[in-house]
Amino acid sequence: MPDDAQYNLVTYGAAFADVYDEWYGASDDLDDVIALLTANGPRRVLELGVGTGRIAVPLAAHLRATDAHSTVVGVDESPEMLARLAENDPGRLVRVVRGDMVDDQPSDVFDLVFISYNTLFNVVERSRQRACLANVAARLSSGGVFVIDACVIDVSVIDPASSNAARGESAERRGAWLVRTTTTFDAASGTVNGNITSHHDDGRVAVRPFTITYSSPDEIDAMCAEAGLSLVERHGSWQKTAFDDDSARHVSVYRNLR
Ligand SMILES: C[S@@+](CC[C@H](N)C(=O)[O-])C[C@H]1O[C@@H](n2cnc3c(N)ncnc32)[C@H](O)[C@@H]1O
């Protein structure tokens, strides 16, 4: 397993771009994702951490079908992920900005900004997550909407008296890969250090480290409120299932009230 110094040298995109679509491409029913994202009729859309364009490309196609002037912009720091996006978007429907999702958000005005699949947690300092959301609010039109899709970690299983950390292990098959994941979660800081060891059926072995900083729904609400974004809907999935204490994920919708 790599040590902490190595974790910091590998970006998420560099570690996952080669398998991202194979492993995660079918994670969500994109009709449901697009239905929720377009509920308020956005014309100018920004996705933070656009990755391979899993959502942005079909979303842009959906919007263009009825509005030739609609725009979808995607920010991502990873040349590896953006190279995949270019392959997935031969019609160049998505305008790409290579840069950091905190500092390099385009200065345009957007009706919808969204960040999916735990991507806010790739920003590993909480102060930077707060700055990211403040920058989102600054780019939203009055009444514009911010949507976040993120996991919920059940911190109640951790006994702070004995240890503030939890370890997890899982194994699953993803396409031609057997994927083993180990994680440690530090409840005090929100830091999740993970390592994925994957064995391909053809004999290849790859190690993919990641570090994220988890923020709970309440913490995200507080950061959004500070930025002037008010929670208007919270669901347990893109299918709008009820959000409750057992939800492993939340899809939350905020409105810019300024
Ligand atoms: C989990 S993937 C999500 C991709 C896409 N949003 C989706 O739902 O499939 C996270 C993406 O965020 C990008 N990313 C991570 N940290 C970033 C940062 N600070 N600025 C811009 N992009 C970042 C990674 O390169 C990667 O493409």
Side-chain angles (χ1 to χ4, degrees), residues 12-13 20 47 49-51 54-55 76-78 81 99-101 116-117 119 122:
Y12 181 92
Y20 191 86
E47 181 177 6
V50 66
R54 179 180 70 96
I55 296 174
D76 205 288
E77 68 176 5
S78 164
M81 296 294 268
D100 181 73
M101 72 171 101
S116 59
Y117 227 173
T119 295
N122 282 97

Side-chain angles (χ1 to χ4, degrees), residues 41-223:
R43 301 187 73 201
R44 301 163 295 180
V45 179
L46 172 64
E47 181 177 6
L48 301 178
V50 66
T52 63
R54 179 180 70 96
I55 296 174
V57 174
L59 173 64
H62 175 90
L63 293 175
R64 282 285 173 86
T66 53
D67 181 352
H69 298 293
S70 62
T71 54
V72 175
V73 183
V75 178
D76 205 288
E77 68 176 5
S78 164
E80 298 87 354
M81 296 294 268
L82 293 177
R84 301 280 165 167
L85 188 153
E87 288 170 14
N88 292 335
D89 187 19
R92 301 288 180 264
L93 296 174
V94 176
R95 194 178 109 211
V96 167
V97 174
R98 184 178 160 198
D100 181 73
M101 72 171 101
V102 182
D103 299 323
D104 300 319
Q105 294 176 21
S107 55
D108 314 46
V109 175
F110 296 96
D111 311 307
L112 167 69
V113 179
F114 72 99
I115 184 162
S116 59
Y117 227 173
N118 308 324
T119 295
L120 180 67
F121 305 157
N122 282 97
V123 176
V124 292
E125 291 163 34
R126 284 258 173 73
S127 61
R128 298 274 295 159
Q129 292 184 3
R130 193 174 296 117
C132 182
L133 297 174
N135 288 343
V136 165
R139 269 138 198 90
L140 277 176
S141 57
S142 179
V145 165
F146 171 61
V147 177
I148 180 167
D149 157 38
C151 65
V152 180
I153 296 179
D154 181 5
V155 291
S156 68
V157 296
I158 300 169
D159 175 9
S162 56
S163 158
N164 220 358
R167 289 179 191 283
E169 267 186 42
S170 65
E172 61 202 328
R173 179 154 278 280
R174 290 189 181 275
W177 294 87
L178 181 62
V179 177
R180 293 182 196 282
T181 306
T182 58
T183 52
T184 58
F185 171 59
D186 179 72
S189 64
T191 304
V192 179
N193 277 317
N195 197 52
I196 296 182
T197 306
S198 48
H199 295 258
H200 195 276
D201 290 343
D202 68 9
R204 276 178 291 154
V205 179
V207 176
R208 305 168 202 274
F210 63 92
T211 299
I212 57 175
T213 297
Y214 172 73
S215 293
S216 69
D218 285 349
E219 287 166 329
I220 294 170
D221 289 350
M223 290 190 276

